[in-house]
Amino acid sequence: MRVLFLGDIVGRPGREAVAGEMRRLREELALDVALANAENASGGLGLKPDEARRLLDSGLDVLTSGNHIWKYREIQDYMPRTTRLLRPANYPQGAPGSGLGVYSAGGGVSYAVLNLQGRTYMEALECPFRTADALLSQVPEDVRVILVDFHAEATSEKIAMAYHLAGRVSAVLGTHTHVQTSDARILRDAHGQGHTAALTDLGMCGPEESILGMEAAPILSRFLTGMPTRFRVAGGAVLLEGALLRIDEGTGRAQSIEIFRRRLI
């Protein structure tokens, strides 16, 4: 199974770039599955239902999210009506939607996606490690390919999650920081065999000349003066960043992980 998982989509530039390229990428990379984190796809913060639908219609199979997913109230009504948009599973009981989904990649091959959120320097949610343990026990035994989006701030927490789930899932991929890391690896299972692909952060799909997708000037002003400013999504060339995975669908073992990075003018 060939899987492309894209990092945080930022605003209209990122959204339009992903939507415009996705069908071409599916053919070029011979993808079986394409996913992206979309919690910043609307205005650089949050996700509107119409824009979620357009991203899914463009060729993405599943959207994951994170701490900004609730910015637009209407997403609370939309999320329970679709299985293809996930929110972090460790939100307390009663939060709309789900953090775990099982899908078909065609040819009878099923895969699961688990969305979690970290707690270090972020909101105090339920423990993501215990949540992962509990939800993995709910994945049907015949579903071997399991992909995890861990939306977290701290590098240590992301790496810890990868080791915690090593041998039990196919990949643990970090999102949230919008900066693609260079630590792609495959962690071994309890028998010493390579099993779980890991990457601290997938990066972002958004403007290249920016501070995490936003115009630099307002952010610099905030750092220099300490005064609140309104952030604006930047323009110009767009980067598409993420990871390309090859996974043995029979065993769920990751065979390879490669950094994906493409610049669009």
Side-chain angles (χ1 to χ4, degrees):
M1 179 184 290
R2 292 177 63 83
V3 178
L4 177 65
F5 208 132
L6 295 174
D8 298 54
I9 299 172
V10 182
R12 178 180 290 180
R15 193 174 68 242
E16 292 184 348
V18 170
E21 291 293 310
M22 186 46 57
R23 297 198 184 281
R24 185 181 309 147
L25 287 174
R26 291 195 77 114
E27 182 176 353
E28 174 191 336
L29 302 174
L31 299 177
D32 298 294
V33 176
L35 313 95
N37 186 295
E39 70 144 10
N40 296 304
S42 297
L45 196 70
L47 177 64
K48 296 179 179 179
D50 285 350
E51 290 164 357
R53 283 189 284 264
R54 290 190 192 104
L55 285 168
L56 292 169
D57 289 344
S58 75
L60 286 166
D61 296 298
V62 181
L63 301 176
T64 56
S65 63
N67 57 307
H68 295 311
I69 188 59
W70 311 117
K71 176 177 173 60
Y72 298 101
R73 185 171 180 80
E74 55 265 39
I75 205 70
Q76 297 183 33
D77 297 325
Y78 171 71
M79 193 171 283
R81 300 200 304 266
T82 179
T83 61
R84 297 172 65 196
L85 171 61
L86 300 177
R87 49 84 172 162
N90 53 319
Y91 269 91
Q93 186 176 3
S98 175
L100 173 67
V102 177
Y103 311 94
S104 175
V109 178
S110 297
Y111 65 99
V113 182
L114 175 59
N115 195 176
L116 298 165
Q117 184 171 308
R119 296 191 296 181
T120 305
Y121 308 124
M122 299 184 76
E123 291 94 336
L125 301 181
E126 304 293 343
C127 175
F129 296 86
R130 301 297 186 187
T131 299
D133 292 342
L135 289 180
L136 287 179
S137 68
Q138 299 178 19
V139 176
E141 289 187 11
D142 61 336
V143 178
R144 304 298 176 82
V145 177
I146 304 174
L147 308 170
V148 178
D149 174 351
F150 189 32
H151 196 78
E153 183 78 35
T155 298
S156 59
E157 192 177 18
K158 294 181 182 182
I159 295 173
M161 181 63 76
Y163 276 101
H164 181 65
L165 298 180
R168 294 192 284 161
V169 302
S170 305
V172 178
L173 306 170
T175 57
H176 180 64
T177 68
H178 295 203
V179 178
Q180 190 178 58
T181 55
S182 61
D183 61 335
R185 68 185 94 172
I186 295 181
L187 301 179
R188 294 189 294 271
D189 60 18
H191 304 288
Q193 295 181 305
H195 193 117
T196 301
L199 182 66
T200 299
D201 203 278
L202 291 168
M204 71 169 183
C205 298
E208 179 180 28
E209 294 188 9
S210 69
I211 297 178
L212 308 185
M214 300 296 180
E215 289 182 357
I219 296 175
L220 287 172
S221 175
R222 182 170 179 176
F223 277 121
L224 289 167
T225 67
M227 300 301 294
T229 57
R230 183 177 179 179
F231 296 170
R232 298 184 297 269
V233 178
V238 171
L239 292 176
L240 298 185
E241 296 180 324
L244 183 62
L245 309 164
R246 285 195 306 114
I247 301 170
D248 183 331
E249 60 261 32
T251 64
R253 296 181 185 276
Q255 297 175 324
S256 67
I257 176 171
E258 300 175 21
I259 295 296
F260 176 83
R261 196 168 197 261
R262 185 160 296 185
R263 184 175 186 267
L264 304 175
I265 299 176

